[in-house]
Amino acid sequence: MFNEDKIAEQLAAARAELNAVAATQVGPPEPVTVENEKGRIRVTVGSDGRLTELMVSARAIRDGSDDLGPQLMQLVNEALDKHREHTNTPEAVPDLNAINEKFAEMQDRSLRNFAAMSQQITETMAKLQNRSA
């Protein structure tokens, strides 16, 4: 038969190890903002890798629209490249804190199930012993 205390110890040890790794996990990169040389166009890529700001001042538009499209493309690509530099990992990094929370829920539920199962086994054994007596 299984030992609830042993299982609880093993689960607690696994969660402690996961917590230790999660404490060293680097969070999402900071947002990246780039501007053109005159500061009239600004592009920001958020920590999720999506464009969160695109600012084009009235002066940039008055400077002429012929160069506006290429400048926007260049700045967006520059911001995306800088963001990619900060997130360049061989694999996606899981959210260890979220995993640990789910693991804690699973641990609590498992221990309750083990206790209920143990109680049912004890009751069944008692009934069987009463029948044979």
Side-chain angles (χ1 to χ4, degrees), residues 3 6 9 13 18 27 46 53-54 56-57 97 101 106 123:
N3 181 338
K6 181 72 171 170
E9 286 175 26
L18 191 58
E53 179 191 33
L54 176 60
V56 180
S57 71
N97 289 321
E101 286 177 22
M106 213 168 49
E123 289 172 4

Side-chain angles (χ1 to χ4, degrees), residues 103-115:
F103 197 34
E105 291 171 14
M106 213 168 49
Q107 178 182 8
D108 292 342
R109 192 171 45 249
S110 296
L111 291 175
R112 282 194 307 270
N113 289 343
F114 284 139

Side-chain angles (χ1 to χ4, degrees), residues 19-95:
N19 269 335
V21 173
T24 63
Q25 184 180 27
V26 177
E30 295 294 317
V32 174
T33 300
V34 294
E35 294 182 346
N36 70 344
E37 64 277 352
K38 295 179 182 178
R40 295 178 181 168
I41 302 173
R42 183 174 55 242
V43 174
T44 301
V45 172
S47 59
D48 61 355
R50 297 182 59 89
L51 196 63
T52 58
E53 179 191 33
L54 176 60
M55 187 281 298
V56 180
S57 71
R59 292 186 115 182
I61 294 170
R62 280 194 300 261
D63 287 345
S65 61
D66 292 342
D67 197 32
L68 190 58
Q71 280 187 53
L72 284 171
M73 259 193 324
Q74 185 263 329
L75 289 171
V76 167
N77 287 331
E78 182 181 337
L80 290 171
D81 289 344
K82 285 185 178 185
H83 179 268
R84 205 169 296 118
E85 287 173 12
H86 297 294
T87 59
N88 194 10
T89 59
E91 300 175 6
V93 179
D95 182 353

